Amino acid sequence: MQTIENARIAIIGLGYVGLPLAAEFGKQIDTIGYDVNKSRIAELTKGKDSTLETSDEELAAAKNLKFTTESSDLENYNVYIITVPTPINEYKLPDLSPLMSASAIVGKVLSKGDIVIYESTVYPGATEDDCIPVLEKQSGLKFNRDFYVGYSPERINPGDKEHRVTNILKVTSGSTEEAADFVDALYNTIITAGTHKASSIKVAEASKVIENTQRDLNIALVNELAIIFNRMNIDTLDVLEAAGTKWNFLNFRPGLVGGHCIGVDPYYLTHKAQSVGYYPEVILAGRRINDGMGSYITEQVVKMMTRKRIHVVDANILVLGLTFKENCPDLRNTRVIDIVHEFTAYHSNVDVYDPWVNSNAAKEEYDINLISEPEKDKYDAIILAVAHKEFIELGTKLRGYGKQNHILFDVKNVLPKAAYDARL
């Protein structure tokens, strides 16, 4: 087993999770960041992060951090932290291929005494049942004799400049008591908020997957309430604000549920639940509601257009925002795309504008050509889908993009009442 004093850290995967972690460790420990994306490594080598999660100053301060796309460069390290994505496939089943690929890369350079720590969100048991066999096969070493494993779930909140990797309490765990102590001590060198050492790897895995499942279900509840109250001609936000005057009322708002966590993680838990013979009804019901909100929003806008005698076919539709959340460039699993697809199916002309998104990324990910700027007096319907600060600042001026007879729908409930025709 390695000691903190001789730790040399390799971070596998340099996205929203891996890079901030690498930058923090790189301030004090010999650290290398590995990613298969050559353009990503090229920009990081120049001290730039296109995800905007790590500033130029933070990268410059990581004096002990270097980057590579060559797996052979990982051979002289002894602590491997895997932070690759864990998405779902088209059938909403866990896709562990990035995790298995990363495990194989690490397995090929693993030596006796090394420790591998996983941060990627998985279902309980995935680390021990799926990842460790790959490490053993590729390395020829024996788990818990020759090498050890830890699990410490990521808690990054993209775009959040207040809750950062260092000031979010970190859950840690290890495959043996000694390994658990090492993992906990290692993270305590950078996590000022402290750590919580879980009793096992499975407990740590489960704790992560239910964090986002709980949020998903709470949002599903208010989304269903929004649908109900809309039929009763009651303003949902007014109801939530009134209910929120009680001290223990949970403050959730209706909306689209996307991103790489809340819209994905519940499917990891339900997949594992079904594999052990239990069909999870509540969790999947929440997922069905949230996955259907793009279609519901489109339906409401179409109804309003029809009442104003605006033809949907060939209508000009402006969708403001494409990212899965406000004030960040993250496009992963954005549900705004559902609104775009729904209006396209109506044969409407859809323009998407998002000042936070790289146009090449939008084209590559969703085959969408972003517009550089909306035109004045052009649109039959305007949908504020993401609460970017630029859109909130415009307020009632967003009306200027619409024709004399148009609809403005506020999905995010951020505009003054004078600015919109309806909100979720």
PDB file of all heavy atoms in Angstrom, residues 40-55:
ATOM      1  N   ARG A  40      -8.684  18.267 -26.395  1.00  0.00           N
ATOM      2  CA  ARG A  40      -8.860  18.646 -24.991  1.00  0.00           C
ATOM      3  C   ARG A  40      -7.496  18.813 -24.320  1.00  0.00           C
ATOM      4  O   ARG A  40      -7.255  19.792 -23.616  1.00  0.00           O
ATOM      5  CB  ARG A  40      -9.692  17.566 -24.272  1.00  0.00           C
ATOM      6  CG  ARG A  40      -9.857  17.752 -22.775  1.00  0.00           C
ATOM      7  CD  ARG A  40     -10.715  18.934 -22.445  1.00  0.00           C
ATOM      8  NE  ARG A  40     -11.092  18.957 -21.032  1.00  0.00           N
ATOM      9  CZ  ARG A  40     -11.470  20.038 -20.390  1.00  0.00           C
ATOM     10  NH1 ARG A  40     -11.517  21.206 -21.032  1.00  0.00           N
ATOM     11  NH2 ARG A  40     -11.813  19.996 -19.124  1.00  0.00           N
ATOM     12  N   ILE A  41      -6.606  17.867 -24.540  1.00  0.00           N
ATOM     13  CA  ILE A  41      -5.264  17.948 -23.952  1.00  0.00           C
ATOM     14  C   ILE A  41      -4.509  19.150 -24.505  1.00  0.00           C
ATOM     15  O   ILE A  41      -3.780  19.836 -23.776  1.00  0.00           O
ATOM     16  CB  ILE A  41      -4.481  16.645 -24.200  1.00  0.00           C
ATOM     17  CG1 ILE A  41      -5.126  15.481 -23.454  1.00  0.00           C
ATOM     18  CG2 ILE A  41      -3.024  16.802 -23.793  1.00  0.00           C
ATOM     19  CD1 ILE A  41      -5.179  15.655 -21.948  1.00  0.00           C
ATOM     20  N   ALA A  42      -4.704  19.441 -25.781  1.00  0.00           N
ATOM     21  CA  ALA A  42      -4.011  20.578 -26.397  1.00  0.00           C
ATOM     22  C   ALA A  42      -4.423  21.892 -25.738  1.00  0.00           C
ATOM     23  O   ALA A  42      -3.570  22.753 -25.451  1.00  0.00           O
ATOM     24  CB  ALA A  42      -4.311  20.621 -27.893  1.00  0.00           C
ATOM     25  N   GLU A  43      -5.729  22.063 -25.481  1.00  0.00           N
ATOM     26  CA  GLU A  43      -6.175  23.315 -24.862  1.00  0.00           C
ATOM     27  C   GLU A  43      -5.720  23.414 -23.413  1.00  0.00           C
ATOM     28  O   GLU A  43      -5.337  24.488 -22.944  1.00  0.00           O
ATOM     29  CB  GLU A  43      -7.699  23.458 -24.953  1.00  0.00           C
ATOM     30  CG  GLU A  43      -8.490  22.524 -24.056  1.00  0.00           C
ATOM     31  CD  GLU A  43      -9.988  22.858 -24.041  1.00  0.00           C
ATOM     32  OE1 GLU A  43     -10.445  23.551 -24.957  1.00  0.00           O
ATOM     33  OE2 GLU A  43     -10.687  22.408 -23.102  1.00  0.00           O
ATOM     34  N   LEU A  44      -5.736  22.278 -22.705  1.00  0.00           N
ATOM     35  CA  LEU A  44      -5.314  22.299 -21.307  1.00  0.00           C
ATOM     36  C   LEU A  44      -3.820  22.577 -21.176  1.00  0.00           C
ATOM     37  O   LEU A  44      -3.390  23.268 -20.252  1.00  0.00           O
ATOM     38  CB  LEU A  44      -5.655  20.968 -20.637  1.00  0.00           C
ATOM     39  CG  LEU A  44      -7.149  20.663 -20.470  1.00  0.00           C
ATOM     40  CD1 LEU A  44      -7.348  19.285 -19.868  1.00  0.00           C
ATOM     41  CD2 LEU A  44      -7.827  21.727 -19.618  1.00  0.00           C
ATOM     42  N   THR A  45      -3.054  22.054 -22.115  1.00  0.00           N
ATOM     43  CA  THR A  45      -1.618  22.310 -22.121  1.00  0.00           C
ATOM     44  C   THR A  45      -1.335  23.803 -22.293  1.00  0.00           C
ATOM     45  O   THR A  45      -0.347  24.330 -21.774  1.00  0.00           O
ATOM     46  CB  THR A  45      -0.932  21.503 -23.240  1.00  0.00           C
ATOM     47  OG1 THR A  45      -1.191  20.102 -23.032  1.00  0.00           O
ATOM     48  CG2 THR A  45       0.568  21.725 -23.245  1.00  0.00           C
ATOM     49  N   LYS A  46      -2.249  24.493 -22.985  1.00  0.00           N
ATOM     50  CA  LYS A  46      -2.126  25.942 -23.169  1.00  0.00           C
ATOM     51  C   LYS A  46      -2.719  26.723 -22.002  1.00  0.00           C
ATOM     52  O   LYS A  46      -2.747  27.957 -22.014  1.00  0.00           O
ATOM     53  CB  LYS A  46      -2.815  26.356 -24.472  1.00  0.00           C
ATOM     54  CG  LYS A  46      -2.162  25.780 -25.718  1.00  0.00           C
ATOM     55  CD  LYS A  46      -2.960  26.151 -26.963  1.00  0.00           C
ATOM     56  CE  LYS A  46      -2.337  25.551 -28.214  1.00  0.00           C
ATOM     57  NZ  LYS A  46      -3.149  25.836 -29.441  1.00  0.00           N
ATOM     58  N   GLY A  47      -3.230  25.988 -21.004  1.00  0.00           N
ATOM     59  CA  GLY A  47      -3.772  26.655 -19.819  1.00  0.00           C
ATOM     60  C   GLY A  47      -5.192  27.131 -19.949  1.00  0.00           C
ATOM     61  O   GLY A  47      -5.619  28.032 -19.213  1.00  0.00           O
ATOM     62  N   LYS A  48      -5.961  26.529 -20.877  1.00  0.00           N
ATOM     63  CA  LYS A  48      -7.347  26.936 -21.109  1.00  0.00           C
ATOM     64  C   LYS A  48      -8.298  25.762 -20.890  1.00  0.00           C
ATOM     65  O   LYS A  48      -7.996  24.628 -21.286  1.00  0.00           O
ATOM     66  CB  LYS A  48      -7.515  27.459 -22.540  1.00  0.00           C
ATOM     67  CG  LYS A  48      -6.642  28.656 -22.886  1.00  0.00           C
ATOM     68  CD  LYS A  48      -7.061  29.897 -22.099  1.00  0.00           C
ATOM     69  CE  LYS A  48      -6.193  31.100 -22.451  1.00  0.00           C
ATOM     70  NZ  LYS A  48      -6.578  32.311 -21.664  1.00  0.00           N
ATOM     71  N   ASP A  49      -9.447  26.035 -20.294  1.00  0.00           N
ATOM     72  CA  ASP A  49     -10.469  25.022 -20.058  1.00  0.00           C
ATOM     73  C   ASP A  49     -11.778  25.476 -20.682  1.00  0.00           C
ATOM     74  O   ASP A  49     -12.423  26.407 -20.190  1.00  0.00           O
ATOM     75  CB  ASP A  49     -10.661  24.783 -18.554  1.00  0.00           C
ATOM     76  CG  ASP A  49     -11.836  23.869 -18.250  1.00  0.00           C
ATOM     77  OD1 ASP A  49     -12.198  23.062 -19.115  1.00  0.00           O
ATOM     78  OD2 ASP A  49     -12.399  23.970 -17.133  1.00  0.00           O
ATOM     79  N   SER A  50     -12.204  24.817 -21.744  1.00  0.00           N
ATOM     80  CA  SER A  50     -13.419  25.214 -22.455  1.00  0.00           C
ATOM     81  C   SER A  50     -14.691  24.935 -21.669  1.00  0.00           C
ATOM     82  O   SER A  50     -15.749  25.491 -21.972  1.00  0.00           O
ATOM     83  CB  SER A  50     -13.490  24.493 -23.819  1.00  0.00           C
ATOM     84  OG  SER A  50     -13.504  23.089 -23.643  1.00  0.00           O
ATOM     85  N   THR A  51     -14.627  24.084 -20.636  1.00  0.00           N
ATOM     86  CA  THR A  51     -15.814  23.832 -19.814  1.00  0.00           C
ATOM     87  C   THR A  51     -16.055  24.962 -18.822  1.00  0.00           C
ATOM     88  O   THR A  51     -17.130  25.045 -18.209  1.00  0.00           O
ATOM     89  CB  THR A  51     -15.695  22.507 -19.031  1.00  0.00           C
ATOM     90  OG1 THR A  51     -14.740  22.655 -17.981  1.00  0.00           O
ATOM     91  CG2 THR A  51     -15.302  21.361 -19.940  1.00  0.00           C
ATOM     92  N   LEU A  52     -15.057  25.805 -18.627  1.00  0.00           N
ATOM     93  CA  LEU A  52     -15.115  26.955 -17.713  1.00  0.00           C
ATOM     94  C   LEU A  52     -15.203  26.554 -16.244  1.00  0.00           C
ATOM     95  O   LEU A  52     -15.472  27.389 -15.381  1.00  0.00           O
ATOM     96  CB  LEU A  52     -16.300  27.879 -18.065  1.00  0.00           C
ATOM     97  CG  LEU A  52     -16.368  28.371 -19.517  1.00  0.00           C
ATOM     98  CD1 LEU A  52     -17.559  29.294 -19.703  1.00  0.00           C
ATOM     99  CD2 LEU A  52     -15.075  29.064 -19.923  1.00  0.00           C
ATOM    100  N   GLU A  53     -14.964  25.283 -15.952  1.00  0.00           N
ATOM    101  CA  GLU A  53     -14.993  24.832 -14.556  1.00  0.00           C
ATOM    102  C   GLU A  53     -13.715  25.205 -13.818  1.00  0.00           C
ATOM    103  O   GLU A  53     -13.725  25.409 -12.607  1.00  0.00           O
ATOM    104  CB  GLU A  53     -15.197  23.312 -14.493  1.00  0.00           C
ATOM    105  CG  GLU A  53     -16.597  22.859 -14.810  1.00  0.00           C
ATOM    106  CD  GLU A  53     -17.639  23.470 -13.885  1.00  0.00           C
ATOM    107  OE1 GLU A  53     -17.562  23.260 -12.665  1.00  0.00           O
ATOM    108  OE2 GLU A  53     -18.523  24.178 -14.395  1.00  0.00           O
ATOM    109  N   THR A  54     -12.607  25.285 -14.559  1.00  0.00           N
ATOM    110  CA  THR A  54     -11.319  25.610 -13.962  1.00  0.00           C
ATOM    111  C   THR A  54     -10.755  26.856 -14.650  1.00  0.00           C
ATOM    112  O   THR A  54     -10.655  26.894 -15.876  1.00  0.00           O
ATOM    113  CB  THR A  54     -10.336  24.438 -14.111  1.00  0.00           C
ATOM    114  OG1 THR A  54     -10.937  23.247 -13.573  1.00  0.00           O
ATOM    115  CG2 THR A  54      -9.039  24.713 -13.373  1.00  0.00           C
ATOM    116  N   SER A  55     -10.420  27.846 -13.876  1.00  0.00           N
ATOM    117  CA  SER A  55      -9.943  29.105 -14.445  1.00  0.00           C
ATOM    118  C   SER A  55      -8.497  28.995 -14.901  1.00  0.00           C
ATOM    119  O   SER A  55      -7.765  28.067 -14.508  1.00  0.00           O
ATOM    120  CB  SER A  55     -10.066  30.225 -13.408  1.00  0.00           C
ATOM    121  OG  SER A  55      -9.153  30.014 -12.345  1.00  0.00           O
TER     122      SER A  55
END
